[in-house]
Amino acid sequence: MRSYSSVLAAALALASSTNAHMKMSMPAPYTANGALENGPLAADGSDFPCKMTSGQYTPPATKNTMAAGSQQGIRLEGSAIHGGGSCQIALTKDLKPTKTSQWMVIHSVEGGCPGGSTTGNLGNDPTSTASPPIPYKIPDDFAAG
């Protein structure tokens, strides 16, 4: 099995047309010096991926281990989904992803991401876990390592 903590931490950084104020809570994300906040990515891309700047990776206390071919789910924390948008889940083989990492999109959700058919927001709680998990599958041929 492969530890996907760094690659999945970047997965939702590729969310396309949504302006949601949320952060990934499962799988356990990397953080910027232990503090992951839920604002949008910087317009200039300076904190892509994972809301990080160079050299700020703090690995999660618990490794995320997922087998190739396994079904998984990303859980988001926050409530300001603004009616949702579209999301992509992508992997990279880089242990510390950067803007120049190569990404492989493994799942796309067109519309209603996050939050399904919810219009507006899911309340005013920045720690809410009311948004449903986003299911995805690790590709069968994604190499362990």
Side-chain angles (χ1 to χ4, degrees), residues 4-12 23-30 36 60 62-66 72-76 89 91 134 136 138:
Y4 288 96
S5 51
S6 63
V7 292
L8 286 176
L12 286 181
K23 63 183 178 181
M24 185 170 71
S25 61
M26 180 195 84
Y30 272 60
L36 181 64
T62 304
K63 277 190 175 183
N64 301 301
T65 303
M66 301 168 191
Q72 300 295 324
I74 287 179
R75 166 94 35 208
L76 301 175
I89 298 171
L91 302 177
I134 302 167
Y136 65 95
I138 301 292

Side-chain angles (χ1 to χ4, degrees), residues 18-135:
T18 184
N19 286 320
H21 299 272
M22 303 186 85
K23 63 183 178 181
M24 185 170 71
S25 61
M26 180 195 84
Y30 272 60
T31 62
N33 296 325
L36 181 64
E37 51 95 6
N38 65 354
L41 291 168
D44 66 2
S46 60
D47 60 354
F48 178 86
C50 309
K51 298 205 53 75
M52 304 291 177
T53 56
S54 182
Q56 287 190 326
Y57 285 92
T58 302
T62 304
K63 277 190 175 183
N64 301 301
T65 303
M66 301 168 191
S70 66
Q71 293 291 326
Q72 300 295 324
I74 287 179
R75 166 94 35 208
L76 301 175
E77 182 179 297
S79 60
I81 63 170
H82 306 301
S86 296
C87 300
Q88 289 188 316
I89 298 171
L91 302 177
T92 181
K93 294 181 180 181
D94 294 352
L95 294 177
K96 292 185 177 183
T98 67
K99 285 191 264 190
T100 60
S101 293
Q102 291 189 348
W103 299 92
M104 176 176 60
V105 175
I106 63 167
H107 184 74
S108 294
V109 179
E110 294 183 26
C113 185
S117 61
T118 302
T119 57
N121 294 326
L122 294 172
N124 291 319
D125 182 359
T127 62
S128 171
T129 57
S131 181
I134 302 167

